[in-house]
Amino acid sequence: MTWIELAPHHKTGLPISSPLMPAAGVFGYGECYRDLIDDEALGALVTNPVSLRPRTAARAPRIAVHGDTFVVHTGLPNPGLKRVLRHYSAAWARQPLPVIVHLIATTPAEVAESCTQISTTQGAAGIELGLDDGTSAESAANLIAAAHSTSELPLITRLPFEGVERLASAAIQAGTDALTLTAPPRAAIPLPTEAAEEIHCLSGRLYGRALFPLLLHRLHTWVPRLSVPVIACGGIATAEEVEACLAVGAAAVQIDALLWREPGIMGKYKLLKVQENL
């Protein structure tokens, strides 16, 4: 078995046996799709986004569809870190996969407190810190420093779609062990209305296969410039697209909203690799 190291500069590392993992927000806290996906197809499990304090859901509507793309605005609801750890940490410890907790980056103080709790929890193998779209390079460095000051777990930083140029170097200099490129971009889609002259739009995160060419361009541009492993995320929908991301230098890939419709993509990639080895 060939292992992929997501944190080669970290003292304990974060080795995974497959480049596939779910993106934050599509796999719950480890319980969703467990009966549909073979663990052997996954290299790691990334949890739903979690914050130090509970967050409520955004007001409806929360989804708008346009062709093969759709916008989701949830407000990142979650019961708060303490409750998530209490309910799921024992199951994480029994997982055959490393569990990466996706932490919503809020303030350095909250990040530090959260990382303290995560690092002392059984079953957590790493932290993915999700930066907001408006995060500055200085703020990113402060948030990553706060994570490092209270946790010895490997740290992955997920960059916003429009923030790669602004934040990638700052995140690496601050000591992140890997980067996820990227969070879904923000977009707006018109909502159906009874009155033709009225137009209301839903703004949120954009998902769909149309994102894949944009992702591949990001990877082609940035992977050669970066000194840490890169995890690709955005619109990946086929085993061939997984291979394309890996071919341009990504160490691993995250499958996002496609898992809601076709969780079997994980098994298709595993089958492709088996066939290649025959």
Side-chain angles (χ1 to χ4, degrees):
M1 178 183 296
T2 301
W3 291 85
I4 301 163
E5 180 54 70
L6 294 182
H9 306 302
H10 189 271
K11 62 181 181 180
T12 60
L14 184 53
I16 58 175
S17 60
S18 165
L20 295 182
M21 60 186 77
V26 302
F27 211 81
Y29 295 102
E31 78 287 6
C32 295
Y33 303 110
R34 291 306 309 277
D35 295 333
L36 299 175
I37 296 176
D38 183 356
D39 283 340
E40 292 185 4
L42 296 177
L45 188 154
V46 182
T47 72
N48 267 10
V50 62
S51 52
L52 178 64
R53 296 178 176 83
R55 294 175 63 139
T56 57
R59 294 175 59 186
R62 302 186 187 98
I63 185 167
V65 180
H66 180 72
D68 291 333
T69 61
F70 59 97
V71 158
V72 176
H73 174 56
T74 65
L76 300 178
N78 70 88
L81 181 63
K82 183 176 293 186
R83 187 173 177 182
V84 167
L85 297 181
R86 184 170 65 248
H87 285 190
Y88 296 103
S89 61
W92 295 347
R94 295 192 297 269
Q95 282 271 3
L97 304 169
V99 175
I100 300 169
V101 180
H102 183 96
L103 178 64
I104 302 168
T106 50
T107 67
E110 289 193 352
V111 166
E113 185 175 347
S114 298
C115 289
T116 297
Q117 294 184 34
I118 296 169
S119 64
T120 56
T121 297
Q122 60 175 338
I127 297 170
E128 182 179 63
L129 187 65
L131 301 183
D132 188 67
D133 297 77
T135 304
S136 67
E138 181 180 2
S139 295
N142 290 337
L143 291 163
I144 292 169
H148 275 306
S149 69
T150 54
S151 171
E152 294 188 352
L153 292 176
L155 179 67
I156 301 165
T157 303
R158 188 177 77 165
L159 303 183
F161 184 82
E162 299 292 348
V164 178
E165 184 170 356
R166 182 177 74 253
L167 300 174
S169 295
I172 292 172
Q173 290 174 7
T176 193
D177 295 297
L179 292 171
T180 299
L181 304 186
T182 64
R186 291 200 176 272
I189 289 178
L191 292 166
T193 59
E194 294 181 0
E197 67 275 9
E198 294 182 2
I199 298 178
H200 300 287
C201 292
L202 179 69
S203 297
R205 298 290 183 182
L206 182 67
Y207 294 90
R209 295 193 63 177
L211 294 179
F212 178 72
L214 300 176
L215 167 66
L216 206 59
H217 177 68
R218 280 279 195 277
L219 297 175
H220 188 270
T221 302
W222 282 98
V223 169
R225 306 183 191 181
L226 303 175
S227 58
V228 298
V230 170
I231 303 168
C233 183
I236 301 167
T238 68
E240 290 74 20
E241 289 172 356
V242 171
E243 288 295 311
C245 292
L246 300 178
V248 297
V253 302
Q254 292 182 355
I255 309 299
D256 54 26
L258 180 70
L259 280 176
W260 295 334
R261 186 180 67 189
E262 191 183 345
I265 184 178
M266 301 296 195
K268 288 180 181 179
Y269 179 77
K270 180 184 176 184
L271 178 62
L272 174 68
K273 300 309 293 180
V274 170
Q275 291 173 339
E276 288 179 351
N277 293 330
L278 290 179

